[in-house]
Amino acid sequence: MLHILSHPLGSHCITHLRDQTTKPALFRTLAYQISLLLALEATRDLPTRTLAVQTPLEPVASPVLDQPLVVVPILRAGLGMVQPFTDLFPDVSVGYIGLERDHATAVARSYYCKLPALHGRRILVVDPMLATGGSAVQALTVIKERGGRELRLVCIVSSPEGVAAVEQAHPDVPIYTAAHDRELNSRKYILPGLGDFGDRLYGT
Ligand code: PRP
Ligand code: URA
């Protein structure tokens, strides 16, 4: 259930996101571009229904989207991935889950949760870094407890440990990633990775 993005623009964006000399303004643009590609991948199988329309020349039965979408960024870094989803799907509802890893233990602490109606909707949880998987597993659990059923996890860089943790806790949730990296270091950062995504996104 791991989908790895395969697109030359995606590889280009990842390289410049990794580059430690990339400044926050460019970092945000690259995060937008790569998240847009991921948004397209993660919605490739959205259901459609047929709508009868009249072209200037003749009537035609043609597909339109048939399932409401919810995007849920995990604060704060996940905010850097939201805009492509709202640009592509203007009717999307946005929920927020605030989780922050403790710097010493790397265990995520919950500090905020605001979710829209979830029933019958396709839910895309977005968080750029899937490291230990602790944050993603917690977020997916909360969403399921609130009635969310059809979930996808969309990240930019994943680790083998993070993917394994999500697959074990939530085997029904497909994972979309732009880069699947080698391993975690002793501080639970992804290698080669790109460092602290939130800090680089917001210049903190
Ligand atoms: C980062 C990242 C993920 C989490 C991943 O957030 O955005 O949410 O770490 O790590 P995990 O898979 O080991 O849980 P962080 O906790 O640093 O907070 P931030 O987004 O506010 O920077
Ligand atoms: N969070 C980040 O921002 N980067 C990592 O490598 C791991 C967790």
Side-chain angles (χ1 to χ4, degrees), residues 77 101 129-131 184 188-191 193-199:
R101 290 202 327 176
M129 306 304 280
L130 181 59
L184 299 180
K188 309 295 184 195
Y189 275 79
I190 300 174
L191 296 175
L194 49 73
D196 190 305
F197 197 98
D199 284 350

Side-chain angles (χ1 to χ4, degrees), residues 67-141:
Q67 188 181 27
L69 280 183
V70 176
V71 63
V72 182
I74 301 180
L75 306 177
R76 116 199 106 140
L79 284 178
M81 299 178 70
V82 172
Q83 199 188 332
F85 288 85
T86 54
D87 286 350
L88 289 170
F89 303 100
D91 296 331
V92 69
S93 302
V94 185
Y96 298 91
I97 291 181
L99 291 170
E100 186 176 29
R101 290 202 327 176
D102 181 285
H103 281 295
T105 64
V107 175
R109 174 187 68 88
S110 167
Y111 61 88
Y112 189 73
C113 183
K114 183 116 185 149
L115 295 171
L118 300 172
H119 182 73
R121 300 184 174 191
R122 168 78 61 96
I123 302 155
L124 301 150
V125 178
V126 299
D127 188 343
M129 306 304 280
L130 181 59
T132 65
S135 305
V137 167
Q138 266 196 61
L140 294 167
T141 301

